[in-house]
């Protein structure tokens, strides 16, 4: 498609160049004879037009060659390759002994927003920090009641052991339940955690997918590029 457009543009340039030295109102053969008969010098109009046409042709050819040889701007940045999970234990920099019962600590580990804390009985747990309702941070005022964590915005509650949903958007009255209708009910994301070091005296470690952020962004860019170009990062 691009080569056809370039050839068409070259043809237009050549036609315009010819028309530039052919004066209106006189037959072309007569003017051309006038450039050769009665004088040993070529017609100035013919020479100027010839130079202009040649220069334009070379310019179009050079632009076409440059376009053909130029690599795609984003071909190396994005990929449609399926990104598989890569699980790894990541240290949090927090010791379990530093956390009090019902205390919560928000962290970002390898692109994952997590929330580590303790139940009222002192059991260590780690859950996703984003509420599955509309993605608000649980760390902004969430309560731990027994082994249940309650979202501060709409009162959704989940078991910290397995993320099982207990209540969905129960507050404030009327408004909370209405907002819950527009989003499918989901469980809270749960991460496996452990106490590192000798006999659990070290930092809390969390098992996370180190490719989670990359996988999320790959899907995002694929959808965006589908609307603007090819989903492999190149252009149509």
């Amino acid at each position: 498609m691009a080569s056809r457009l370039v050839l068409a543009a070259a043809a237009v340039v050549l036609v315009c160049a010819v028309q530039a030295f052919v004066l209106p109102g006189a037959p072309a053969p007569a003017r051309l004879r006038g450039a050769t008969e009665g004088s040993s010098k070529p017609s100035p109009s013919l020479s100027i037009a010839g130079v202009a046409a040649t220069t334009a042709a070379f310019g179009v050819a050079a632009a076409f060659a440059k376009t053909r040889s130029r690599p795609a701007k984003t071909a190396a940045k994005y990929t449609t390759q399926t990104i598989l999970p890569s699980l790894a234990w990541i240290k949090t920099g927090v010791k379990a002994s530093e956390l009090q019962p019902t205390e919560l600590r928000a962290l970002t580990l390898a692109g994952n927003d997590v929330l580590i804390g303790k139940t009222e009985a002192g059991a260590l747990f780690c859950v996703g920090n984003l509420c599955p309702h509309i993605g608000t941070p649980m760390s902004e005022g969430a309560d731990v009641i027994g082994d249940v964590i309650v979202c501060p915005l709409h009162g959704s509650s989940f078991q910290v052991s397995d993320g099982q949903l207990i209540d969905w958007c129960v507050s404030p009255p009327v408004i909370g339940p209405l907002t819950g209708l527009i989003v499918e009910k989901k469980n809270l994301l749960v991460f496996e955690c452990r106490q590192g070091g000798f006999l659990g005296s070290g930092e809390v470690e969390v098992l996370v997918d180190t490719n989670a952020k990359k996988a999320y962004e790959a899907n995002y860019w694929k959808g965006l590029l589908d609307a603007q170009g090819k989903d492999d990062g190149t252009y149509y």
Side-chain angles (χ1 to χ4, degrees):
M1 184 63 182
S3 59
R4 293 179 181 177
L5 293 176
V6 171
L7 293 176
V12 172
V13 170
L14 292 176
V15 171
C16 292
V18 172
Q19 289 180 346
F21 73 88
V22 177
L23 298 177
R31 293 196 303 281
L32 293 177
R33 286 197 303 271
T36 57
E37 295 178 0
S39 173
S40 60
K41 296 182 179 180
S43 170
S45 298
L46 182 60
S47 300
I48 294 174
V51 172
T54 303
T55 303
F58 275 113
V60 171
F64 176 66
K66 183 177 180 181
T67 303
R68 291 293 298 271
S69 62
R70 184 174 56 193
K73 293 182 179 179
T74 59
K77 290 186 63 177
Y78 308 117
T79 177
T80 56
Q81 177 183 351
T82 301
I83 300 176
L84 300 177
S86 177
L87 300 178
W89 288 99
I90 305 295
K91 293 183 178 181
T92 62
V94 179
K95 292 184 177 181
S97 58
E98 298 174 0
L99 296 172
Q100 301 300 318
T102 71
E103 184 181 354
L104 298 170
R105 193 79 59 90
L107 300 167
T108 300
L109 303 177
N112 296 271
D113 292 323
V114 303
L115 192 64
I116 60 173
K118 284 184 177 181
T119 65
E120 286 186 343
L124 186 67
F125 68 86
C126 182
V127 297
N129 189 30
L130 302 181
C131 179
H133 178 209
I134 55 176
T136 53
M138 302 280 282
S139 56
E140 299 296 325
D143 293 321
V144 177
I145 305 173
D147 60 352
V148 174
I149 187 169
V150 182
C151 177
L153 187 60
H154 296 118
S156 298
S157 57
F158 311 86
Q159 291 279 351
V160 298
S161 57
D162 56 7
Q164 189 68 35
L165 173 66
I166 299 175
D167 285 318
W168 183 254
C169 301
V170 295
S171 64
V174 181
I175 296 178
L178 285 177
T179 62
L181 293 176
I182 62 176
V183 180
E184 181 183 359
K185 294 181 179 180
K186 301 175 184 177
N187 293 331
L188 181 64
L189 184 62
V190 173
F191 294 87
E192 187 177 349
C193 61
R194 69 185 183 187
Q195 299 181 54
F198 181 70
L199 297 178
S201 60
E203 299 177 11
V204 175
E205 299 177 355
V206 179
L207 185 64
V208 299
D209 178 11
T210 57
N211 282 343
K213 182 178 180 181
K214 186 186 298 184
Y216 174 83
E217 291 179 346
N219 290 333
Y220 170 79
W221 284 115
K222 181 179 184 298
L224 180 65
L225 290 174
D226 277 340
Q228 299 183 356
K230 294 183 178 180
D231 60 11
D232 61 358
T234 59
Y235 300 102
Y236 288 105

